[in-house]
Amino acid sequence: MSRRDRLKGLFDDTAQELAAANYEETSSRGSAGPVRTMALTLGRMEEESRAMQEALLSGERIVELDPDLIDSSFVRDRLADQPLDMEDELVQSIAENGQEVPVLVRRHPDDENRYQIAYGHRRLQAIKLLGRKVQAIVRKLDDTDVVIAQGIENSARRNLSYIERAVFALNLELKGFERPVIMKALSTDKTELSKLISVAKAIPADIVRSVGAAPGIGRRKWMALAQDWNGMTATRLTKLIASEGFLTEESDRRFELLVAELARKEAKPEATEYDWKPKSGGKIAGRIKSVGNSFTIALKTGDAPDFGAYVSRRLDELYEAYRAGKLQAGE
């Protein structure tokens, strides 16, 4: 079989595998936004498979490069890399049969002596592990081309989790990409993209990184968390996300622990109440109540009806005297 026929067969098989994998993921997530996304993804994978096939079969030159000269993309799409080892199926396949399909790279925009990968991240990782040269097509690509190629590749690799898609979408928007480009990169529509970005914006980035990819946590749970998020509760999570029990758990479990902590009702501080009467006597009296950061005084002015107004006018004076006392005490 000629190289041309072998490459064509590889791309035909890959397109079928990608379509099957994407259908399984869509079925597992439910029939809301992802059903609309499935048609976009399948169509885009077919288009990209055809484009790559035509590029390879058109005689575009394949070169051998030192994998250490190839950098990853300028925008991350995963919260954590999934390292390969010698037992991985892809590594074993390349070790036994060689690299059948080249990676796609461009000249690094900031260093003419280096390259930046657009497609074939796992193949590059496997070849580095094997200590071999990588076969690559060097093509002139702009940032948009690279971003869309990354999105294509994510259909071929382990699919991004929902929160990884959300963070990737937000990162692209922050880098100035227009939404139509982001929609194409993620194979999604306008409505679903808006939801992805809103989730990534609502939940603090450090919290997301602490939880991780959470591959088993889907769209609905992340959206519910985003809708219920209250920035004031973030301080409650500091101890949780730094604890050994949290860090040693799988990512899905960390999400569950986070949600449980946010749902837990904090114990209300006990109220302190007491009565006040002037030592010099009189019919005036007060009821004082202190709960946490709340402090109230209820006055019955009796024979001093203007005492409440007198106190009110001197609140600034009292507060400054309080602050001066704190400063003198070194607090």
Side-chain angles (χ1 to χ4, degrees):
M1 180 184 294
S2 68
R3 181 179 179 82
R4 174 186 293 266
D5 291 337
R6 187 169 72 244
L7 287 172
K8 184 178 186 303
L10 282 169
F11 273 101
D12 289 343
D13 292 344
T14 300
Q16 293 176 9
E17 291 171 3
L18 296 184
N22 191 72
Y23 176 78
E24 289 174 5
E25 183 202 11
T26 302
S27 299
S28 67
R29 289 184 181 178
S31 61
V35 165
R36 297 191 303 272
T37 298
M38 181 175 70
L40 294 170
T41 302
L42 293 177
R44 193 193 66 177
M45 286 191 296
E46 181 180 356
E47 177 186 346
E48 177 66 12
S49 176
R50 188 186 307 114
M52 284 287 288
Q53 178 179 323
E54 289 173 356
L56 289 172
L57 300 181
S58 67
E60 196 164 21
R61 192 162 65 95
I62 298 173
V63 298
E64 282 193 343
L65 299 175
D66 181 344
D68 290 331
L69 294 178
I70 303 176
D71 296 325
S72 58
S73 174
F74 64 95
V75 58
R76 288 186 62 85
D77 53 8
R78 298 199 180 277
L79 294 175
D81 294 325
Q82 298 295 316
L84 300 178
D85 56 41
M86 294 301 293
E87 301 301 317
D88 188 272
E89 184 178 350
L90 175 61
V91 177
Q92 292 183 358
S93 174
I94 293 177
E96 295 172 6
N97 306 311
Q99 182 189 348
E100 294 281 0
V101 180
V103 302
L104 179 63
V105 302
R106 68 171 178 174
R107 289 281 182 180
H108 199 293
D110 300 323
D111 186 345
E112 62 180 12
N113 296 316
R114 298 187 65 80
Y115 301 87
Q116 195 173 65
I117 191 165
Y119 195 100
H121 289 76
R122 292 186 75 246
R123 267 170 279 154
L124 177 63
Q125 190 182 156
I127 290 164
K128 278 187 176 181
L129 193 61
L130 292 168
R132 299 182 181 183
K133 297 284 188 181
V134 62
Q135 297 183 56
I137 294 174
V138 182
R139 187 181 297 173
K140 188 175 182 180
L141 302 170
D142 60 22
D143 287 351
T144 298
D145 295 328
V146 173
V147 165
I148 292 175
Q150 270 186 260
I152 295 290
E153 184 178 21
N154 285 327
S155 298
R157 297 191 288 161
R158 179 182 64 85
N159 289 322
L160 294 178
S161 68
Y162 182 83
I163 194 59
E164 285 180 313
R165 285 168 57 82
V167 171
F168 186 38
L170 178 59
N171 286 341
L172 291 177
E173 184 168 75
L174 293 175
K175 287 184 177 292
F177 288 96
E178 298 292 336
R179 291 209 171 186
V181 173
I182 306 175
M183 288 161 55
K184 189 171 183 180
L186 285 168
S187 292
T188 193
D189 58 26
K190 185 177 181 180
T191 301
E192 188 65 19
L193 178 60
S194 294
K195 292 176 182 177
L196 285 165
I197 292 175
S198 67
V199 167
K201 284 182 175 179
I203 305 172
D206 59 335
I207 298 296
V208 172
R209 286 193 297 270
S210 296
V211 171
I217 306 300
R219 170 174 170 264
R220 291 180 182 176
K221 289 185 177 181
W222 277 110
M223 286 186 64
L225 178 61
Q227 289 169 1
D228 294 339
W229 188 266
N230 178 352
M232 296 299 291
T233 63
T235 55
R236 289 176 51 189
L237 305 176
T238 303
K239 185 176 180 180
L240 171 68
I241 64 179
S243 67
E244 184 178 354
F246 182 87
L247 296 173
T248 55
E249 290 286 356
E250 294 288 337
S251 184
D252 288 350
R253 177 59 181 159
R254 291 200 295 269
F255 178 90
E256 294 170 356
L257 291 172
L258 176 74
V259 171
E261 177 62 23
L262 290 173
R264 183 177 61 82
K265 292 184 178 180
E266 290 186 285
K268 292 183 178 180
E270 294 184 6
T272 301
E273 295 187 56
Y274 54 94
D275 295 321
W276 168 83
K277 285 187 178 183
K279 294 179 180 179
S280 58
K283 295 182 179 180
I284 190 170
R287 180 69 175 172
I288 299 171
K289 182 177 181 180
S290 176
V291 183
N293 292 329
S294 175
F295 188 87
T296 58
I297 302 176
L299 290 174
K300 290 184 178 180
T301 54
D303 57 359
D306 58 346
F307 181 68
Y310 176 85
V311 172
S312 298
R313 287 194 302 268
R314 283 162 175 74
L315 285 176
D316 284 338
E317 180 184 333
L318 290 170
Y319 180 63
E320 292 305 322
Y322 161 81
R323 291 185 60 188
K326 287 286 187 180
L327 288 174
Q328 288 180 356
E331 295 181 14

